[in-house]
Amino acid sequence: MEIDWYQLPIPDWGLACPTCSYPLRGLPRHRCPECGTELDMAALIRPWTRLRDPRFTGHERPLPDFGLLCRACGRPLAGAPGDACPHCGAAFDVEEWRPTREWFVLDAALAGPLPIPGVQALIASELVPHFPVGELSLAEIYGGRSSTINALRVPSEFHFEIRWLLQQALADLRAARAARGQGDWRCSACAEQNPGHFEVCWNCERPRATEQ
């Protein structure tokens, strides 16, 4: 996704003049009218800058693939035409999955087998505002020092878009593994079908290594 950072007038990106803190929204040129500072937009825009609205709100129908599972039958809710599970008919409310705070943590529990640095690159390419959580402070991270990033903080309004992006990335990962002969596998103990990235049968916990 691309956005022209130098478009005029300056959109409502929550930016301020780095010299005098004058708000930049609506300015017809890249020059602060208060102090005269020439504005380098590329330098002002940070990974956490909100450049656009979220792609999804959670109320879209049919329900996009957000990776949500029916609490009654455990099957995917993707494709539901309304607020009922397309498999068992149980009612669901997407608000049950919506974060209650302004920002939520995107960590390994949500990303699954996708590495957090890779997820960061993905959401950065989609211009989703975020900042990393690692061993160093933000000032140190963006000052050029390296850090082990183990989670990301993302505005909660982008929660469902993040879920959708993760599902797309997981589908790509499964396709790549299938192409390498690492596709879905069936457990010989319970005959359950498992995704290629599962190393243990989700149903009976038999290790995949025993299937080889």
Side-chain angles (χ1 to χ4, degrees):
M1 181 174 293
E2 295 184 2
I3 289 180
D4 180 8
W5 293 355
Y6 290 90
Q7 61 184 283
L8 292 172
I10 297 176
D12 184 10
W13 289 337
L15 302 176
C17 173
T19 302
C20 69
S21 299
Y22 187 88
L24 305 184
R25 174 186 177 184
L27 293 186
R29 58 183 61 86
H30 298 116
R31 180 183 175 88
C32 177
E34 182 74 13
C35 67
T37 297
E38 295 293 335
L39 303 171
D40 181 358
M41 301 304 293
L44 291 175
I45 293 173
R46 308 303 295 165
W48 51 82
T49 304
R50 189 184 188 282
L51 298 174
R52 63 176 180 84
D53 292 332
R55 184 183 279 119
F56 299 107
T57 65
H59 297 294
E60 294 78 12
R61 296 296 183 275
L63 188 71
D65 187 2
F66 297 139
L68 306 181
L69 301 179
C70 174
R71 300 193 188 282
C73 70
R75 300 180 70 180
L77 294 174
D83 294 334
C85 174
H87 306 287
C88 71
F92 68 88
D93 184 354
V94 293
E95 297 303 318
E96 296 179 20
W97 287 275
R98 192 183 303 278
T100 57
R101 297 185 177 182
E102 185 177 0
W103 294 69
F104 74 96
V105 176
L106 199 179
D107 56 13
L110 184 58
L114 301 172
I116 294 299
V119 172
Q120 182 187 22
L122 170 63
I123 69 175
S125 70
E126 294 292 331
L127 302 182
V128 175
H130 67 282
F131 66 85
V133 178
E135 297 177 352
L136 302 179
S137 68
L138 285 177
E140 291 172 317
I141 292 172
Y142 289 103
R145 291 183 60 185
S146 61
S147 172
T148 300
I149 298 173
N150 49 41
L152 304 167
R153 290 194 181 275
V154 182
S156 291
E157 61 180 335
F158 285 86
H159 178 74
F160 289 106
E161 178 165 346
I162 288 294
R163 281 184 166 274
W164 181 82
L165 288 171
L166 292 177
Q167 290 305 305
Q168 303 305 304
L170 286 171
D172 291 343
L173 177 62
R174 285 192 290 268
R177 286 183 169 178
R180 298 196 305 266
Q182 298 180 15
D184 292 355
W185 56 281
R186 186 177 299 278
C187 176
S188 62
C190 68
E192 188 64 38
Q193 192 78 6
N194 291 275
H197 63 279
F198 279 28
E199 297 301 327
V200 175
C201 175
W202 73 268
N203 185 52
C204 71
E205 300 186 356
R206 181 184 179 90
R208 181 177 184 175
T210 62
E211 308 302 313
Q212 300 175 350

